[in-house]
């Protein structure tokens, strides 16, 4: 099968969710043609293993994943169709258009020479629209617009080639009923090996394409330390491995929770000033394996947006599905929560807001983060 994806190269894993057929028939100038589709409903991006955990208690994660195997990737959706013309013309190319608008505005464009499309890294809680164009002889035949929806179950875990423990901070509903936008802030593990004599990338071409061309990442925020070579010489490159037009920002945090809270308030302020700048978005932030320094940053950002403690704990523990070579428990989120609960404010969101005011951020900066990321 030949396929050329503009702008995203897809990965061939399949989630089949189909019942019955939905038929679309149109009349062309030289005769009849028809497309027929499987019907797709309530697509779940999570694997059975992931769903078992998400339907169990928060602290049960070690029953399903302990950090020593890569099981953090989402399921993909495989869409199939049939195409016929009255005079049985041979199809040379199928073009598959995917959009979040029924008017098919700004679609992702995929090209295939067979009748199967594989869609990866779908958003959660989203209705998608798709249309197929068949090129046969000197004619192009376009189907009617079809649709499917994805379940709203979070987290929105991601498949970024060569990167483990990746997921979207978006897709969640806050305690006050707002929603966190997707494809705005992504957390993950590192994109290159650390403690090496030279820069050794691990992120794949497909991983770069997804972050650059689909998400549109503008800023890579690296929380790894620099003076000990943990970044693997990334800081000397002067640009992100994702692409030349992606800003690389190094703001190291020590890999120790008490230091992050007590001694690194100035650096924490610097990190959240990146989140306060609308020009920074979309942002991907990471440390080495995306659990501790990335975890505390994600917890504070989520708390500032209005996510509750249980939601933040579940998101944190999902790291155990990544290849992090260790197991995480609730100790760290409890430290984060205990620290914040000692501050002024009636809710976790208010206490987090006051924390950032105390370390030198302004109300306008904090309000800007919320206005950028919530709807």
């Amino acid at each position: 099968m030949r396929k050329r994806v503009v702008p995203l190269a897809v990965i061939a894993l399949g989630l089949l969710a189909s019942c019955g057929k939905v038929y679309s028939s149109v009349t062309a100038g030289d005769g009849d043609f028809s497309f027929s589709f499987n019907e797709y409903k309530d697509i779940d991006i999570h694997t059975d293993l992931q769903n078992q955990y998400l339907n169990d208690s928060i602290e049960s994660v070690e029953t399903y994943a302990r950090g020593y195997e890569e099981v953090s990737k989402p399921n993909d959706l495989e869409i199939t169709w049939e195409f016929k013309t009255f005079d049985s013309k041979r199809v040379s190319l199928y073009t598959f258009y995917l959009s979040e608008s029924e008017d098919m505005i700004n679609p992702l464009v995929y090209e295939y020479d067979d009748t199967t499309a594989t869609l990866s890294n779908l958003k959660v809680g989203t209705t998608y629209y798709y249309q197929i164009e068949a090129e046969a002889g000197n004619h192009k035949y376009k189907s009617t617009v079809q649709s499917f929806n994805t379940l709203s179950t979070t987290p929105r875990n991601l498949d970024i080639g060569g990167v483990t423990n990746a997921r979207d901070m978006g897709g969640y509903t806050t305690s006050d009923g707002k929603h966190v936008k997707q494809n705005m802030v992504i957390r993950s593990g590192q994109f290159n090996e650390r403690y090496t004599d030279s820069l050794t990338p691990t992120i794949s071409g497909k991983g770069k394409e997804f972050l650059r061309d689909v998400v549109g990442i503008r800023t890579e925020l690296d929380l790894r330390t620099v003076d000990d070579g943990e970044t693997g010489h990334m800081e000397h490159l002067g640009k992100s491995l994702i692409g030349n037009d992606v800003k690389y920002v190094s703001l190291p945090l020590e890999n120790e929770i008490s230091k992050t809270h007590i001694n690194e308030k100035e650096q924490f302020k610097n990190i959240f000033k990146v989140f306060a700048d609308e020009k920074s978005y979309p942002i991907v932030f990471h440390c080495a394996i995306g659990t501790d320094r990335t975890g505390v940053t994600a917890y504070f950002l989520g708390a500032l947006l209005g996510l509750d403690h249980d939601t933040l704990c579940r998101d944190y523990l999902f790291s155990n599905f990544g290849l992090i070579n260790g197991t995480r428990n609730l100790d760290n989120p409890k430290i984060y929560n205990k620290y914040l609960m000692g501050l002024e404010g009636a809710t976790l969101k208010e206490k987090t807001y006051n924390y950032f005011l105390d370390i030198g951020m302004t109300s306008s900066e904090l309000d800007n983060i919320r206005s950028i990321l919530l709807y």
Side-chain angles (χ1 to χ4, degrees), residues 275-294:
F275 290 122
D277 184 357
E278 190 169 8
K279 295 179 181 177
S280 298
Y281 291 88
I283 299 168
V284 59
F285 70 100
H286 65 87
C287 50
I289 56 176
T291 57
D292 300 316
R293 290 162 291 185
T294 298

Side-chain angles (χ1 to χ4, degrees), residues 247-366:
K247 184 178 182 181
Y248 176 78
V249 179
S250 175
L251 289 173
L253 288 174
E254 292 294 331
N255 195 11
E256 186 177 323
I257 302 305
S258 60
K259 289 184 179 179
T260 299
H261 287 170
I262 300 171
N263 299 326
E264 293 196 271
K265 292 181 178 179
E266 185 68 23
Q267 192 71 314
F268 227 47
K269 178 180 71 175
N270 293 334
I271 290 168
F272 276 78
K273 281 185 176 292
V274 175
F275 290 122
D277 184 357
E278 190 169 8
K279 295 179 181 177
S280 298
Y281 291 88
I283 299 168
V284 59
F285 70 100
H286 65 87
C287 50
I289 56 176
T291 57
D292 300 316
R293 290 162 291 185
T294 298
V296 67
T297 302
Y299 190 98
F300 275 62
L301 177 60
L304 179 64
L305 294 176
L307 302 187
D308 60 47
H309 176 63
D310 284 353
T311 298
L312 294 168
C313 286
R314 177 84 72 175
D315 183 79
Y316 177 84
L317 290 182
F318 201 86
S319 291
N320 286 293
F321 285 84
L323 184 58
I324 61 175
N325 295 317
T327 304
R328 294 299 185 270
N329 55 37
L330 289 176
D331 289 348
N332 286 352
K334 287 178 179 178
I335 293 174
Y336 312 152
N337 185 257
K338 182 179 180 181
Y339 185 89
L340 290 171
M341 294 307 290
L343 303 177
E344 293 184 5
T347 64
L348 178 59
K349 180 179 70 174
E350 291 178 6
K351 291 174 183 292
T352 308
Y353 193 98
N354 288 328
Y355 166 80
F356 284 108
L357 289 179
D358 291 343
I359 67 173
M361 294 194 71
T362 66
S363 294
S364 61
E365 288 174 325
L366 299 174

Side-chain angles (χ1 to χ4, degrees), residues 54-67:
L54 295 176
N55 290 316
D56 204 341
S57 63
I58 295 171
E59 63 272 17
S60 68
V61 66
E62 291 186 38
T63 303
Y64 307 101
R66 298 178 57 86

Side-chain angles (χ1 to χ4, degrees), residues 48-287:
D48 289 343
L49 181 68
Q50 293 162 6
N51 269 321
Q52 288 176 48
Y53 169 58
L54 295 176
N55 290 316
D56 204 341
S57 63
I58 295 171
E59 63 272 17
S60 68
V61 66
E62 291 186 38
T63 303
Y64 307 101
R66 298 178 57 86
Y68 292 99
E69 183 181 2
E70 177 51 79
V71 288
S72 69
K73 308 298 186 183
N75 270 327
D76 294 345
L77 171 63
E78 191 173 90
I79 290 181
T80 61
W81 63 91
E82 295 177 3
F83 172 76
K84 294 180 180 179
T85 62
F86 179 77
D87 51 3
S88 302
K89 283 188 173 72
R90 181 180 179 277
V91 176
S92 58
L93 182 69
Y94 289 103
T95 304
F96 186 98
Y97 301 91
L98 181 70
S99 176
E100 293 177 44
S101 168
E102 191 171 5
D103 296 330
M104 300 305 296
I105 298 172
N106 298 322
L108 294 174
V109 182
Y110 306 77
E111 292 183 350
Y112 300 93
D113 58 9
D114 67 4
T115 57
T116 301
T118 306
L119 309 178
S120 61
N121 289 327
L122 295 170
K123 292 182 179 179
V124 297
T126 301
T127 298
Y128 283 97
Y129 301 89
Y130 65 95
Q131 191 171 29
I132 301 169
E133 183 179 76
E135 187 173 329
N138 296 322
H139 297 277
K140 293 183 179 179
Y141 307 88
K142 187 168 285 190
S143 75
T144 56
V145 175
Q146 308 296 315
S147 67
F148 64 88
N149 63 280
T150 57
L151 297 179
S152 57
T153 309
T154 50
R156 182 196 174 203
N157 46 317
L158 298 170
D159 187 349
I160 303 175
V163 180
T164 194
N165 195 20
R167 53 195 177 275
D168 196 331
M169 289 288 294
Y172 291 104
T173 300
T174 68
S175 56
D176 53 358
K178 293 185 180 296
H179 304 279
V180 185
K181 297 176 185 176
Q182 298 178 66
N183 278 355
M184 290 294 283
V185 180
I186 290 174
R187 55 173 295 177
S188 74
Q190 64 193 8
F191 300 157
N192 67 293
E193 293 183 8
R194 53 182 177 161
Y195 306 126
T196 57
D197 294 332
S198 59
L199 181 63
T200 308
T202 56
I203 186 171
S204 70
K206 290 180 180 179
K208 293 178 186 179
E209 287 176 3
F210 170 68
L211 290 176
R212 182 182 63 244
D213 299 335
V214 177
V215 180
I217 291 293
R218 291 184 181 177
T219 304
E220 177 190 345
L221 177 55
D222 192 342
L223 306 178
R224 296 175 298 175
T225 53
V226 175
D227 55 0
D228 60 354
E230 188 191 8
T231 57
H233 304 280
M234 181 65 223
E235 73 281 3
H236 299 310
L237 188 64
K239 59 185 178 183
S240 171
L241 289 171
I242 302 169
N244 293 339
D245 56 344
V246 175
K247 184 178 182 181
Y248 176 78
V249 179
S250 175
L251 289 173
L253 288 174
E254 292 294 331
N255 195 11
E256 186 177 323
I257 302 305
S258 60
K259 289 184 179 179
T260 299
H261 287 170
I262 300 171
N263 299 326
E264 293 196 271
K265 292 181 178 179
E266 185 68 23
Q267 192 71 314
F268 227 47
K269 178 180 71 175
N270 293 334
I271 290 168
F272 276 78
K273 281 185 176 292
V274 175
F275 290 122
D277 184 357
E278 190 169 8
K279 295 179 181 177
S280 298
Y281 291 88
I283 299 168
V284 59
F285 70 100
H286 65 87
C287 50

